[in-house]
Amino acid sequence: MKKYILPILSILFLNSCVALSNIDQERAASGITKVIQAATITDEQMATYVSEYITQTDASNKICSESSSYTKRLKKLTAGLTDANGIPLNFKVYNTTDVNAFACPDGSIRVYSGLMDIMTDEEVLGVIGHEIGHIANRDSKNAFKNSLMTSALKDGIASTNSTIAVLTDSQLGALGESYLNAKYSQKQEYAADEYGYNFLKSNGKNPYAMVLSFKKLQQLQGSTSSNSSVINQLFSTHPDLEQRIIKMEQKAKQDGYIK
């Protein structure tokens, strides 16, 4: 994260030169401090922020009960999926018509019931496999840290003297928006596909689920339903789905999962 510090400090310095007569020196110094604090935050400190974030997110959404058909279905799909590269996994379903799923660096995976409504078990499992890939490859961790730094510029949510700052509701909201809109590189997306495929395979699941989930996403992208705009927004920066399908189908065929 050190590579981000100098460019940001340079921007702050240039801005000060443009309007030197109006600048609040104390505020500018505080802003610089916040950026440095966010960029150098420790893993322990970030873990606390992640915990606070997912706790607040869970509290602000309606979580399906243990007796819910959604919860039972998800538990059956994820049976045996306990950890990814040492990170313990936990799964919950948000009862909402929204079509989405996301993963946090602490291993929390949240699936929206709206997504489960339009996908088969195998397709949902493919989406989960991909999200687990981002967790295992630490993409989610880096994305969260970047989002934390972005929010620090706005609200100063970084830690001071190793003390964890308590996030306000507005800060958590800004952090959540930044994190959920995080963009992964094409290299990260392909690597998450690869990990997800191998993870499902090694845990006794059919990795062809990855292909099925991508085909469903491709289908939804081209649809005129109300879900299509959401899907296009979620996956607009992902690598071309057709190429991802081809890569996963080749692996599945080579491994004997398809003839």
Side-chain angles (χ1 to χ4, degrees):
M1 294 301 298
K2 291 182 179 179
K3 65 180 181 180
Y4 293 105
I5 298 177
L6 289 178
I8 294 173
L9 294 182
S10 299
I11 293 172
L12 290 173
F13 175 75
L14 290 174
N15 287 340
S16 68
C17 293
V18 173
L20 185 60
S21 59
N22 297 323
I23 193 169
D24 181 337
Q25 298 290 347
E26 182 178 348
R27 183 178 178 182
S30 175
I32 293 173
T33 301
K34 291 169 185 175
V35 175
I36 295 174
Q37 289 170 344
T40 58
I41 191 170
T42 67
D43 287 348
E44 181 181 4
Q45 290 167 338
M46 193 182 73
T48 300
Y49 283 126
V50 172
S51 177
E52 188 174 348
Y53 167 70
I54 195 62
T55 297
Q56 190 271 351
T57 304
D58 283 350
S60 61
N61 285 277
K62 184 178 180 181
I63 298 174
C64 292
S65 66
E66 291 295 310
S67 61
S68 165
S69 59
Y70 290 112
T71 300
K72 290 179 180 179
R73 181 182 168 197
L74 186 62
K75 279 191 172 184
K76 183 177 179 180
L77 285 175
T78 59
L81 307 183
T82 56
D83 75 277
N85 279 354
I87 302 173
L89 302 173
N90 69 89
F91 305 88
K92 290 181 181 179
V93 182
Y94 287 168
N95 190 359
T96 171
T97 57
D98 294 341
V99 178
N100 203 355
F102 69 91
C104 283
D106 68 340
S108 298
I109 296 177
R110 302 296 180 258
V111 182
Y112 292 24
S113 60
L115 182 74
M116 299 180 73
D117 285 337
I118 63 173
M119 286 191 167
T120 66
D121 287 354
E122 291 78 13
E123 291 163 352
V124 172
L125 188 60
V127 171
I128 291 173
H130 178 78
E131 292 300 325
I132 289 175
H134 281 308
I135 293 174
N137 293 337
R138 271 55 179 184
D139 299 332
S140 298
K141 175 182 176 181
N142 293 331
F144 192 92
K145 192 170 186 178
N146 289 339
S147 297
L148 191 63
M149 189 170 75
T150 300
S151 299
L153 284 170
K154 297 178 181 178
D155 296 304
I157 62 175
S159 61
T160 304
N161 297 326
S162 299
T163 301
I164 302 299
V166 177
L167 306 185
T168 65
D169 288 344
S170 62
Q171 290 168 345
L172 282 166
L175 174 61
E177 182 179 357
S178 177
Y179 178 63
L180 290 179
N181 290 326
K183 309 298 183 184
Y184 294 121
S185 70
Q186 189 172 90
K187 181 179 179 180
Q188 288 174 317
E189 295 293 6
Y190 280 128
D193 290 350
E194 187 80 12
Y195 185 94
Y197 177 97
N198 292 329
F199 179 83
L200 294 178
K201 178 183 174 182
S202 63
N203 282 276
K205 309 291 185 181
N206 188 340
Y208 190 65
M210 301 287 292
V211 177
L212 296 175
S213 67
F214 294 156
K215 285 186 174 181
K216 174 55 71 70
L217 293 173
Q218 188 179 53
Q219 175 188 338
L220 291 171
Q221 279 187 327
S223 102
T224 57
S225 70
S226 58
N227 291 324
S228 62
S229 61
V230 179
I231 294 297
N232 283 325
Q233 180 181 359
L234 290 172
F235 296 93
S236 61
T237 59
H238 284 215
D240 181 62
L241 281 174
E242 185 62 36
Q243 292 302 312
R244 298 170 75 182
I245 291 170
I246 291 173
K247 286 174 67 72
M248 292 293 99
E249 281 191 321
Q250 288 175 341
K251 285 181 66 68
K253 186 173 184 179
Q254 183 178 358
D255 291 342
Y257 287 98
I258 56 175
K259 303 299 181 182

